């Protein structure tokens, strides 16, 4: 309390606002035509309950671009509910399928990892290339290769030391652009340059 007593009132209010709201199970009202509140913050393991108060039928459905966590309440009418427990941290966007202008976000936990992954080197081989990364947070990636051939590979990376190999490449000089996006929509891009032997 000694610290608080010496602070001006505005500073005390600022501290109170900056403190994260105690996350817990949350409820979202689905009304015509919005999710209320549009964004909920929960901790991993907490449950969100959508309460459909219509009178129009709606859904709570993960956005098509959402690749980490998918869910779909199916059409629900007045008085119905849908529940989902979120274990994986991340920022998950959802919509109502018949009314895609209705948008909501479930934020689970906080993005505590500042750098999603670090590059451990690219190595061109015989008609192939291997890109090694150390992954600190699950991510989806796209790797675009440009040179004597054009290739784009996509996939998911889980935490740990990982490598991505592309085979059957014509020999020559290539450039690569690697993009990783974590569950909080944080994007990281690295560029490579390498030679492929025949
Ligand atoms: Cu709707």
């Amino acid at each position: 309390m000694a610290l608080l007593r010496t602070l001006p009132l505005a500073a005390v209010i600022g501290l109170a606002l900056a403190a994260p709201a105690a996350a817990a199970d949350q409820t979202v009202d689905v009304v015509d035509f919005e999710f209320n509140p549009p964004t909920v913050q929960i901790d991993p393991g907490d449950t969100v309950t959508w309460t459909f108060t219509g009178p129009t039928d709606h859904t709570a459905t993960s956005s098509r671009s959402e690749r980490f966590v998918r869910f779909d309440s199916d059409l629900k009418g007045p008085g119905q509910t849908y529940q989902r427990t979120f274990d994986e941290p991340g920022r998950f966007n959802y919509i109502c399928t018949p009314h895609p202008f209705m948008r909501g976000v479930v934020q689970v936990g906080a993005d505590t990892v500042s750098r999603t992954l670090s590059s451990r080197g690219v190595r061109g081989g015989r008609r192939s290339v291997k890109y090694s990364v150390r992954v600190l947070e699950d991510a989806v990636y796209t790797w675009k290769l440009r040179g004597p051939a054009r290739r784009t590979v996509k996939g998911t990376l889980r935490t740990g030391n990982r490598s991505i190999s592309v085979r059957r490449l014509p020999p020559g000089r290539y450039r690569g652009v690697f993009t990783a996006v974590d569950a909080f929509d944080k994007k990281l891009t690295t560029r490579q340059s390498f030679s492929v032997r025949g």
Side-chain angles (χ1 to χ4, degrees), residues 8-181:
L9 184 59
V12 175
I13 291 169
L15 284 176
L17 290 176
D25 294 346
Q26 297 284 344
T27 300
V28 177
D29 281 328
V30 187
V31 300
D32 293 348
F33 288 87
E34 60 182 9
F35 298 109
N36 187 22
T39 299
V40 287
Q41 169 80 53
I42 58 173
D43 281 333
D46 286 346
T47 299
V48 177
T49 303
W50 283 267
T51 304
F52 296 78
T53 53
T56 310
D57 284 0
H58 300 284
T59 76
T61 309
S62 49
S63 301
R64 220 169 0 153
S65 61
E66 187 56 67
R67 275 180 282 182
F68 288 94
V69 164
R70 302 201 60 87
F71 57 94
D72 187 4
S73 67
D74 293 323
L75 273 179
K76 294 273 189 290
Q80 291 187 289
T81 60
Y82 170 67
Q83 283 198 319
R84 194 185 193 287
T85 300
F86 293 83
D87 294 317
E88 195 180 336
R91 185 179 163 82
F92 307 116
N93 299 288
Y94 68 95
I95 58 162
C96 168
T97 306
H99 316 109
F101 56 88
M102 294 172 61
R103 297 175 167 274
V105 177
V106 177
Q107 170 128 353
V108 186
D111 195 1
T112 53
V113 181
S114 60
R115 192 173 170 84
T116 308
L117 57 81
S118 55
S119 179
R120 304 181 78 222
V122 64
R123 209 168 73 207
R126 189 170 174 276
R127 300 186 68 85
S128 67
V129 63
K130 183 167 151 182
Y131 185 43
S132 301
V133 290
R134 178 169 164 71
V135 183
L136 301 171
E137 187 176 13
D138 290 355
V140 291
Y141 72 88
T142 303
W143 197 22
K144 287 185 181 174
L145 303 181
R146 297 294 181 259
R150 293 174 152 241
R151 294 285 170 75
T152 299
V153 291
K154 297 175 183 221
T156 302
L157 291 166
R158 299 289 171 189
T159 53
N161 290 327
R162 307 287 169 203
S163 65
I164 300 151
S165 294
V166 182
R167 296 185 180 82
R168 291 191 291 276
L169 285 172
R173 194 82 192 142
Y174 286 81
R175 296 158 85 81
V177 178
F178 180 91
T179 305
V181 182

